Amino acid sequence: RLKELLAKNGEFALPEKLLLRTEVREDITYYIFKIPTETALATKVLTLAMKSNVTGLRAFQMIMEQIDGKPHQSIALENTIKSPYESMTDEQLEAERQRLLRIKNHGK
């Protein structure tokens, strides 16, 4: 929807069946439509993007990612999870294994 709204300079067509009612206020006729959710969200994002604040910049970034695709980012992962068993001796490991077996077999 974002691409469609941008390509048509913010214009979009709605079928007549979505027209809920018309209202006249101060000699101006307003057409009240039930617009699809994706159109409402796209319109809101475009409105936010026009603001010159952090929210506007984030909305603009989201629009550009939808149009151009999200840029690839490299991240480095380190395995920092340490097992509590790493520092145990063979005897300690065997004792722990026996303890776990007792718990499994007896529910204690």
Side-chain angles (χ1 to χ4, degrees):
R1 277 294 188 194
L2 284 172
K3 287 181 183 180
E4 181 182 331
L5 287 172
L6 289 171
K8 295 180 180 178
N9 201 22
E11 296 177 2
F12 56 92
L14 295 172
E16 189 175 348
K17 68 181 180 179
L18 295 178
L19 178 64
L20 298 176
R21 65 185 179 281
T22 58
E23 294 180 4
V24 178
R25 294 183 231 141
E26 299 176 15
D27 295 327
I28 299 173
T29 302
Y30 294 90
Y31 298 92
I32 312 301
F33 284 91
K34 173 65 178 157
I35 63 173
T37 302
E38 64 272 7
T39 302
L41 290 172
T43 304
K44 181 65 175 178
V45 169
L46 287 172
T47 302
L48 289 172
M50 298 303 168
K51 295 182 178 183
S52 59
N53 58 22
V54 174
T55 302
L57 290 173
R58 287 189 181 141
F60 182 75
Q61 179 184 13
M62 189 179 92
I63 291 169
M64 295 311 296
E65 288 173 358
Q66 289 296 312
I67 294 170
D68 296 334
K70 193 166 186 167
H72 295 285
Q73 296 178 347
S74 298
I75 58 171
L77 298 175
E78 290 184 30
N79 184 3
T80 57
I81 299 173
K82 299 232 183 226
S83 168
Y85 304 112
E86 280 184 46
S87 60
M88 289 185 173
T89 65
D90 288 341
E91 292 82 20
Q92 290 171 321
L93 286 171
E94 181 59 28
E96 179 66 4
R97 187 179 78 75
Q98 292 298 324
R99 185 183 75 81
L100 294 172
L101 283 172
R102 278 192 307 275
I103 291 171
K104 178 184 172 192
N105 293 330
H106 300 293
K108 296 181 182 180

